[in-house]
Amino acid sequence: MTERVQKQLALLQSRAYRDRRHAPEISPEEADKHFPERALASEARRFIYALSTEKQAVFHGEDLFGFNRYSTGTLAETRFGNTVIDYEKILRIGFSGILDEIRARRSSADLNALAFYDAVEASYAACFSSAEMYRDAAEREGNVRLAHALSHIPREGARDYYEALVFLRMLAYFLRLGRCPHLPLGRFDVYMKPYFDRSIANGESEEELLELTELFFIAMNFDTDLYFGIQKGDNGQSLVLGG
């Protein structure tokens, strides 16, 4: 465990970072009353509202990932959880790849599908704005590596192991704001291996990538106290290794 990893772990365990959070201007409970259930457009509006309460980029200590909570607000009721998304695909093609697929399907889509596609596009637009906020903040703070990564992701796919880790951290942030608190990481070893190999080929050492991995899993534990069903020893982020 490197000195940087030890510092980040100590910061996480101290819980001092929680003092930096702010209450939203409108309570999540009050905002929740304005979103009828089971409407795709309403789900997109809920998510966009939740992202709108995250008014500033937040970094903790020697933070290489960002996407920490500024607001204490969470919309009531878990929408879905214990779901392993297609990490391999999203890391490979990015949000722009998903949007390209949507646009190709619009000409043959029915009204329900079109409503879903509209909701996805609106949600992704909010995600892009959030990523740009973090990119700009990283540039101001001299976090060159993160700023460089966020000039590419999430619009495009990850190019190396670090960018793939940042993308995963970002996805957890977005999905949790979308009321999905339990986020198993699935076959992390399988979908991350190509990015690990690429970084090794680019001259990074296994020790450097191990440090990034440890820092990533520490970062994934910031803010878990804000979400429903998270408890000591179970942060909803289980993964499968080795079959």
Side-chain angles (χ1 to χ4, degrees):
M1 191 181 296
T2 66
E3 182 178 353
R4 179 188 288 179
V5 173
Q6 291 174 347
K7 287 181 178 178
Q8 289 300 100
L9 181 58
L11 176 60
L12 173 67
Q13 293 173 336
S14 75
R15 301 183 178 180
Y17 65 91
R18 297 181 184 180
D19 295 337
R20 304 178 61 194
R21 297 173 182 158
H22 300 74
E25 296 172 4
I26 303 174
S27 73
E29 292 77 15
E30 184 63 32
D32 214 37
K33 296 176 183 177
H34 302 290
F35 301 110
E37 290 301 322
R38 308 184 193 285
L40 289 170
S42 295
E43 284 302 310
R45 288 198 298 273
R46 285 174 187 260
F47 173 67
I48 292 166
Y49 164 76
L51 263 184
S52 74
T53 68
E54 298 294 308
K55 295 182 179 297
Q56 292 181 19
V58 178
F59 300 102
H60 298 316
E62 297 183 42
D63 194 342
L64 296 179
F65 299 99
F67 296 95
N68 303 296
R69 291 293 302 276
Y70 171 86
S71 169
T72 58
T74 53
L75 289 173
E77 182 194 349
T78 296
R79 189 61 175 174
F80 65 105
N82 293 320
T83 301
V84 181
I85 67 171
D86 192 344
Y87 292 109
E88 185 279 329
K89 180 175 181 177
I90 198 69
L91 290 175
R92 177 169 48 84
I93 68 175
F95 287 175
S96 291
I98 301 297
L99 291 173
D100 287 343
E101 291 183 356
I102 286 174
R103 288 159 188 157
R105 295 173 182 173
R106 278 189 174 276
S107 61
S108 58
D110 61 21
L111 291 178
N112 286 334
L114 288 173
F116 174 70
Y117 296 155
D118 288 343
V120 172
E121 292 206 27
S123 298
Y124 275 14
C127 292
F128 292 147
S129 294
S130 179
E132 289 163 5
M133 177 180 71
Y134 266 93
R135 183 198 62 205
D136 294 343
E139 287 178 348
R140 290 194 301 271
E141 296 197 10
N143 193 340
V144 176
R145 191 172 192 182
L146 180 59
H148 181 67
L150 294 177
S151 68
H152 188 76
I153 58 172
R155 290 184 183 273
E156 308 302 329
R159 296 171 293 190
D160 60 20
Y161 190 71
Y162 171 67
E163 286 192 358
L165 290 176
V166 174
F167 211 150
L168 289 177
R169 175 65 180 137
M170 187 191 312
L171 287 170
Y173 176 79
F174 290 150
L175 285 165
R176 280 181 156 157
L177 286 169
R179 301 193 292 163
C180 177
H182 292 275
L183 293 168
L185 291 170
R187 290 300 305 271
F188 180 91
D189 57 333
V190 174
Y191 61 75
M192 290 297 287
K193 185 64 161 55
Y195 303 100
F196 180 93
D197 291 341
R198 199 172 301 166
S199 289
I200 291 293
N202 289 340
E204 292 190 76
S205 68
E206 290 190 7
E207 290 75 16
E208 290 172 317
L209 300 186
L210 174 60
E211 180 187 54
L212 287 176
T213 306
E214 292 176 331
L215 290 170
F216 165 75
F217 282 109
I218 291 170
M220 289 285 279
N221 281 277
F222 285 115
D223 303 323
T224 53
D225 61 296
L226 290 175
Y227 305 107
F228 175 80
I230 304 300
Q231 54 194 316
K232 188 174 183 179
D234 180 8
N235 65 2
Q237 296 166 0
S238 59
L239 52 81
V240 178
L241 295 174

